[in-house]
Amino acid sequence: MNTRPGAPPPGEGSGPPARAAGLPPPAERGATVIPDRVVARIAAQAARTAQSRRAAIPPDRDAPAAPAASAATLSGWVRLHLTMDLPYPADIPRICERIRQDVGERVAQLTGLEVGEVTLTVRRLVTAAGANRGRVR
């Protein structure tokens, strides 16, 4: 078996490109930081999608206000807060739980951050136009 002087021994190959370029291992190079406002925008878009899937506002009503979101990131995990309109009558706790789950999963998928908490505030309940609004006697 012939080897050239200076060539790596058989079986060791040339290694990953980072080592060939003299860069430190990936774990020592640093991290990608996603600003809170970017995570919040991703969460707001995920909330819009979840709202249309899980809690569609009746078409005979004014369009609901767009969901709002805020985010606080710390050491690879994020805490989200959502504010949105929901339809009424509906099973509000069940809808909220499903929206929280959908948003948490989507934000984790798109950012790589662990979603530690998702809180949801219902801004207003939107009723159908034909709902009886009279008092009960």
Side-chain angles (χ1 to χ4, degrees), residues 60-111:
D60 58 345
R61 301 300 297 170
D62 293 334
S70 63
T73 57
L74 179 67
S75 301
W77 67 274
V78 63
R79 182 180 326 148
L80 301 171
H81 182 252
L82 308 170
T83 304
M84 61 184 8
D85 298 344
L86 293 178
Y88 185 82
D91 185 355
I92 301 299
R94 184 169 166 224
I95 290 172
C96 289
E97 183 57 35
R98 287 183 172 178
I99 289 174
R100 288 177 34 197
Q101 184 177 0
D102 289 353
V103 171
E105 289 173 0
R106 187 67 176 153
V107 168
Q109 177 186 35
L110 293 175
T111 65

Side-chain angles (χ1 to χ4, degrees), residues 105-122:
E105 289 173 0
R106 187 67 176 153
V107 168
Q109 177 186 35
L110 293 175
T111 65
L113 296 169
E114 180 181 337
V115 179
E117 178 182 351
V118 179
T119 58
L120 192 148
T121 299
V122 178

